[in-house]
């Protein structure tokens, strides 16, 4: 006889990562004000530090030189080639992690035995710094591109699995009970209730994975590749072009913000559909 005891939460209103990353409570005015305040804070701190005589060589970190370098970069085809290379690595890595992580998270959330068995291994892997896999990636893969994909997958797969599992556990048990009373099988439950109801949490996991992927990508691009924003940052550091270095950091923030906003809009649409 089927049971809904696999769903350990009795209420559909559970606190999860989606509570923070899946909501759009404020308008664009607040976002603009927040960005302006951030820019002012950056300007004040950098002006206070980098205008001192002992830090005069780092004046490139000031907003003015950084903005000029960013404008020059936008007019340079080499920058866009590197930006597209980084975006390709991010999206391919997250896609691979999603293909593995979404089904795994659904199964773990659906079957309590698997949830118990997988808890310790997932927590163990989650606590390992993704960059610590870099030597292994360089040994296992013949190309640096494949090694970077591997590092991004290792960095993002745990957030995807765990938040997808949270989405499954947050499903209203009443829906499961009604489906079971009508004779639904596990496969039918997963296809018709579990997956549609977990979509907001899946999209949240993609947004979380996006931030983690950028953290891993930049140092990964320091090694062996001749394109990517991480490569440009490393090159600017070696040539002591600090305005260009800061411009690349700002460019990463802009690209990441645009991608995150895309996922946020998609998530908002799913929540209202």
């Amino acid at each position: 006889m089927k049971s809904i005891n696999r769903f350990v939460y009795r209420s559909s209103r559970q606190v999860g990562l989606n509570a923070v990353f899946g909501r759009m409570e404020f308008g664009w005015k607040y976002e603009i004000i927040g960005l302006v305040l951030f820019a002012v804070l950056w300007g004040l701190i950098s002006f206070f530090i980098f205008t001192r005589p002992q830090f005069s060589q780092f004046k490139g970190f000031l907003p003015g030189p950084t903005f000029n370098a960013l404008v020059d970069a936008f007019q340079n085809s080499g920058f866009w080639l590197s930006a597209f290379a980084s975006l390709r690595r991010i999206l391919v890595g997250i896609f691979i992690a999603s293909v593995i992580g979404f089904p795994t998270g659904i199964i773990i959330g659906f079957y309590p035995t698997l949830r118990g068995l997988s808890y310790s291994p997932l927590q163990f892997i989650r606590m390992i710094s993704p960059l610590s896999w870099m030597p292994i990636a360089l040994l296992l893969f013949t190309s640096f591109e494949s090694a970077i994909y591997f590092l991004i997958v290792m960095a993002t797969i745990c957030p995807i699995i765990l938040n997808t599992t949270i989405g499954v556990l947050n499903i209203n048990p009443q829906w499961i009970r009604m489906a079971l009373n009508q004779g639904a099988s596990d496969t039918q439950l997963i296809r018709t209730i579990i997956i549609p109801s977990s979509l907001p949490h899946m999209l949240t996991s993609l947004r979380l994975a996006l931030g983690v992927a950028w953290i891993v990508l930049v140092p990964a691009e320091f090694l062996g590749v001749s394109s990517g924003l991480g490569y440009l940052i490393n090159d600017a550091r070696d040539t002591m072009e600090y305005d260009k270095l800061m411009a690349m950091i700002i460019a990463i923030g802009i690209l990441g913000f645009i991608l995150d906003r895309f996922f946020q809009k998609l998530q908002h649409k799913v929540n209202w559909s």
Side-chain angles (χ1 to χ4, degrees), residues 209-225:
L210 180 64
V212 177
W214 277 114
I215 295 174
V216 174
L217 177 70
V218 173
E221 288 181 336
F222 288 177
L223 300 174
V225 295

Side-chain angles (χ1 to χ4, degrees), residues 156-173:
T156 57
I157 193 167
C158 282
I160 290 175
I161 291 175
L162 292 175
N163 210 45
T164 301
T165 301
I166 291 174
V168 176
L169 296 177
N170 277 346
I171 296 174
N172 192 335

Side-chain angles (χ1 to χ4, degrees), residues 151-189:
L151 291 174
I152 294 175
V153 170
M154 294 305 298
T156 57
I157 193 167
C158 282
I160 290 175
I161 291 175
L162 292 175
N163 210 45
T164 301
T165 301
I166 291 174
V168 176
L169 296 177
N170 277 346
I171 296 174
N172 192 335
Q174 297 297 330
W175 300 350
I176 307 298
R177 185 178 293 109
M178 291 174 58
L180 292 175
N181 289 339
Q182 296 179 15
S185 64
D186 286 355
T187 302
Q188 291 172 325
L189 283 175

Side-chain angles (χ1 to χ4, degrees), residues 64-76 79-80 243 247-248:
T66 297
F67 178 76
N68 292 331
L70 187 63
V71 172
D72 292 339
F74 285 164
Q75 298 173 352
N76 189 333
F79 164 79
W80 291 109
D243 55 342
M248 294 303 101

Side-chain angles (χ1 to χ4, degrees), residues 201-261:
H201 283 80
M202 293 181 186
L203 293 175
T204 297
S205 71
L206 292 180
R207 296 180 64 190
L208 294 171
L210 180 64
V212 177
W214 277 114
I215 295 174
V216 174
L217 177 70
V218 173
E221 288 181 336
F222 288 177
L223 300 174
V225 295
S226 57
S227 64
L229 296 176
Y231 166 79
L232 293 180
I233 289 176
N234 193 46
D235 183 65
R237 183 200 64 181
D238 292 340
T239 58
M240 293 186 292
E241 298 177 277
Y242 298 121
D243 55 342
K244 181 180 177 182
L245 189 155
M246 193 65 190
M248 294 303 101
I249 294 175
I250 298 300
I252 289 174
I254 293 173
L255 293 174
F257 182 85
I258 292 173
L259 283 176
D260 179 78
R261 181 49 52 91

